[in-house]
Amino acid sequence: MTRRRTPRTSMIRLTTGRTARTLLHPYGHREPVLALDFGAACVQVTTHGPVTLEDLTFARQLAREAARYARSVERSLLALGGTREATATRRAA
């Protein structure tokens, strides 16, 4: 991942829990939408217009980082003794 050239002016923190979920809306007639639903707040990720190579690059980067996040959360759960739950969840994914 490349380093940011401009400083951040704000940050939003959305924490997961029982109500958090992800949804993919793969519309056939327009660009897909990925929704990150946290109950009171929902973030939608989509392209600006027709899909470009840059959009695909971003989607792959997002998938890679999401997979790394899942592995990190799994390691944390295992460290807390949640082996059975983590293994069952990994098989279901």
Side-chain angles (χ1 to χ4, degrees), residues 3-4 8 16 34 38 50 56 75 77 89:
R3 195 172 205 141
R4 294 184 72 83
R8 273 191 193 92
T16 61
L34 174 65
F38 296 91
L56 178 58
R75 277 192 299 274
L77 182 61
T89 304

Side-chain angles (χ1 to χ4, degrees), residues 32-46:
V33 175
L34 174 65
L36 309 174
D37 187 353
F38 296 91
C42 183
V43 177
Q44 292 186 337
V45 180
T46 190

Side-chain angles (χ1 to χ4, degrees), residues 1 18 23 25 30 39 44 48-49 54 59 66 78 81-82 90:
M1 192 184 229
R18 289 188 320 205
L23 301 160
H25 303 284
R30 65 182 187 102
Q44 292 186 337
H48 183 63
E54 288 80 16
L78 291 173
R90 184 180 337 132

Side-chain angles (χ1 to χ4, degrees), residues 78-91:
L78 291 173
L80 295 172
T83 7
R84 187 174 30 202
E85 296 90 350
T87 304
T89 304
R90 184 180 337 132
R91 286 187 188 133

Side-chain angles (χ1 to χ4, degrees), residues 5-63:
R5 293 187 182 156
T6 57
R8 273 191 193 92
T9 57
S10 63
M11 185 175 97
I12 299 171
R13 180 179 179 172
L14 301 168
T15 56
T16 61
R18 289 188 320 205
T19 60
R21 62 190 182 138
T22 58
L23 301 160
L24 173 63
H25 303 284
Y27 302 109
H29 59 282
R30 65 182 187 102
E31 296 76 24
V33 175
L34 174 65
L36 309 174
D37 187 353
F38 296 91
C42 183
V43 177
Q44 292 186 337
V45 180
T46 190
T47 66
H48 183 63
V51 176
T52 65
L53 184 56
E54 288 80 16
D55 297 323
L56 178 58
T57 300
F58 175 79
R60 287 180 174 162
Q61 182 184 37
L62 178 64

